[in-house]
Amino acid sequence: MEFSAKIIADYLHGTIEGDENVVVNNVSKIEDGKPGTLTFLSNLKYTPYLYTTQASIVLVNKDFKPEKPVSATLIRVDNAYECLASLLQLYSNSKVVPSGIEQPSFIDQTVKLPENIYIGAFVYIGKNVKIGDNFKAFPQVYIGQNVKIGENVTLYPGVKIYADTVIGNNVTIHAGSVIGGDGFGFAPQNDGNYKKIPQIGNVVIENNVEIGANTTIDRATMGSTIIHEGVKLDNLIQVGHNCEIGEHTVMAAQGGVAGSTKIGKGCMIGGQVGFAGHLSVADGTKVGAQAGIDSSLNDPTMYLGTPAMPLKSFYKSHIIFRRLPEMDKNVFELKRQVEELKKRLDEASK
């Protein structure tokens, strides 16, 4: 599909600087822009590319002031990044959506399917599953018995939903994710072995949640593991049994949350962050990449490091850490001088 600058500006309530009739049919990164594509500038460190990009249209913030002539048509908007997201959503919605039931697939006779549905090949849907309207299950999805699924839910290829899971409305789960697998519960025995603790709870995923590829969320030992409304989980995240992740919290890839940890609302968690079990994290907390959380975070500030500490403390510690080689050299020299002075004093006293 093709869109002119005028159509795009009208849709985004933006203003045009340049040719309003220029047409685009794709998007591109600003540094790799090609004719016939649209790009955007929101991070000012990419500003130099604005003057060299070959893209036909560039979205910029209303308060941006170019320092050089720009060959592309500019569309000024309130927030370039958010407007790009709106355009990409519009483009995504324009794609042809699969529908119907492909074969082979298995759907238990107790399941009542809505009218608007897509069931891909090799999908399995177990007993007493409840499914809302506009449901899509791509090939090789497994849905266990007694699962409840709301409206506008999409399960991409290979997603596994264990029994008794509850999924709300407007939920997307990407390929390879496992929802409701057993929590990691084993009781040590006197003979050194471990006895498995049955995991009889479930997983509850509330509305407007998106879960990345190959993410796993374990069922509770008792009760529920809960992913609250609006949470966004990246790829390759492990959420342990009986955890709770608060509303509108986002977590980047490769994070791990051990059992019974409660993360608050509106938190931002970087990549490869690890949480020990049975902790609590205050609403609005931010945690930088690769941090290790070994105790509860009660102050909603920014944390870095392992073990994690507030941002200012981390920077102060890091300054000292970087100076350790120099400090070690100085200590060695002081030790040498003290030994030499001691030797001279010993000789003088004889």
Side-chain angles (χ1 to χ4, degrees):
M1 298 179 67
E2 291 186 340
F3 299 93
S4 69
K6 186 177 188 311
I7 292 174
I8 295 170
D10 289 344
Y11 177 75
L12 299 175
H13 305 290
T15 58
I16 299 173
E17 292 182 12
D19 183 3
E20 67 175 19
N21 296 315
V22 66
V23 172
V24 295
N25 58 16
N26 208 336
V27 295
S28 63
K29 296 187 294 184
I30 193 168
E31 63 268 33
D32 299 324
K34 297 177 176 60
T37 65
L38 175 145
T39 189
F40 74 107
L41 176 67
S42 63
N43 188 331
L44 294 182
K45 76 176 185 179
Y46 290 94
T47 300
Y49 294 112
L50 177 65
Y51 310 114
T52 60
T53 187
Q54 296 299 305
S56 299
I57 298 175
V58 183
L59 301 179
V60 296
N61 293 334
K62 285 183 176 179
D63 59 356
F64 174 75
K65 296 180 180 179
E67 298 176 351
K68 302 176 185 179
V70 179
S71 60
T73 293
L74 299 183
I75 298 180
R76 293 186 176 274
V77 292
D78 290 330
N79 186 309
Y81 190 70
E82 289 182 3
C83 286
L84 177 71
S86 297
L87 288 177
L88 293 178
Q89 185 64 53
L90 178 65
Y91 175 76
S92 179
N93 293 341
S94 70
K95 292 183 178 179
V96 176
V97 178
S99 62
I101 301 175
E102 298 176 355
Q103 296 299 335
S105 58
F106 174 83
I107 303 170
D108 189 84
Q109 60 184 1
T110 60
V111 178
K112 183 178 179 181
L113 297 177
E115 292 184 4
N116 299 317
I117 196 168
Y118 167 63
I119 304 293
F122 301 102
V123 167
Y124 177 98
I125 303 179
K127 293 182 180 179
N128 301 317
V129 172
K130 308 295 183 184
I131 298 176
D133 194 37
N134 194 29
F135 173 71
K136 301 179 187 64
F138 284 78
Q140 299 183 330
V141 165
Y142 167 86
I143 303 174
Q145 64 184 10
N146 302 320
V147 170
K148 297 179 181 179
I149 299 175
E151 298 180 353
N152 303 314
V153 171
T154 299
L155 307 179
Y156 282 101
V159 168
K160 313 302 179 189
I161 309 294
Y162 279 54
D164 304 313
T165 297
V166 178
I167 299 175
N169 300 325
N170 307 312
V171 172
T172 299
I173 304 178
H174 289 276
S177 291
V178 179
I179 312 300
D182 275 3
F184 191 65
F186 297 89
Q189 306 297 296
N190 292 332
D191 60 2
N193 289 320
Y194 291 86
K195 184 176 182 180
K196 184 176 178 63
I197 301 172
Q199 308 291 294
I200 61 173
N202 72 339
V203 173
V204 174
I205 298 174
E206 296 185 348
N207 299 336
N208 304 310
V209 169
E210 182 154 348
I211 297 170
N214 294 316
T215 285
T216 58
I217 303 174
D218 292 344
R219 70 193 303 111
T221 306
M222 293 177 284
S224 299
T225 301
I226 304 175
I227 310 300
H228 286 285
E229 182 168 354
V231 167
K232 313 300 180 187
L233 301 180
D234 200 356
N235 305 329
L236 296 165
I237 289 175
Q238 157 67 13
V239 179
H241 60 117
N242 290 96
C243 288
E244 283 191 43
I245 299 181
E247 296 175 6
H248 306 294
T249 283
V250 294
M251 293 184 65
Q254 299 182 345
V257 187
S260 299
T261 284
K262 315 297 183 187
I263 298 177
K265 303 176 183 178
C267 297
M268 300 180 68
I269 313 299
Q272 296 185 334
V273 172
F275 292 85
H278 302 273
L279 307 180
S280 62
V281 177
D283 295 349
T285 298
K286 297 178 174 60
V287 183
Q290 295 189 324
I293 314 301
D294 62 354
S295 60
S296 293
L297 305 180
N298 300 316
D299 182 15
T301 185
M302 176 74 180
Y303 293 87
L304 291 172
T306 302
M309 62 186 74
L311 183 64
K312 289 184 178 179
S313 298
F314 175 83
Y315 283 151
K316 290 178 181 178
S317 300
H318 190 62
I319 290 171
I320 295 173
F321 178 78
R322 292 174 62 183
R323 292 175 56 192
L324 283 178
E326 178 186 350
M327 294 169 66
D328 180 68
K329 183 179 178 181
N330 291 339
V331 169
F332 180 82
E333 177 61 22
L334 286 172
K335 182 180 179 181
R336 186 191 65 79
Q337 292 178 10
V338 168
E339 290 176 349
E340 183 177 337
L341 181 59
K342 181 180 179 181
K343 182 179 179 181
R344 289 179 181 178
L345 291 173
D346 289 342
E347 290 177 351
S349 64
K350 291 181 180 178

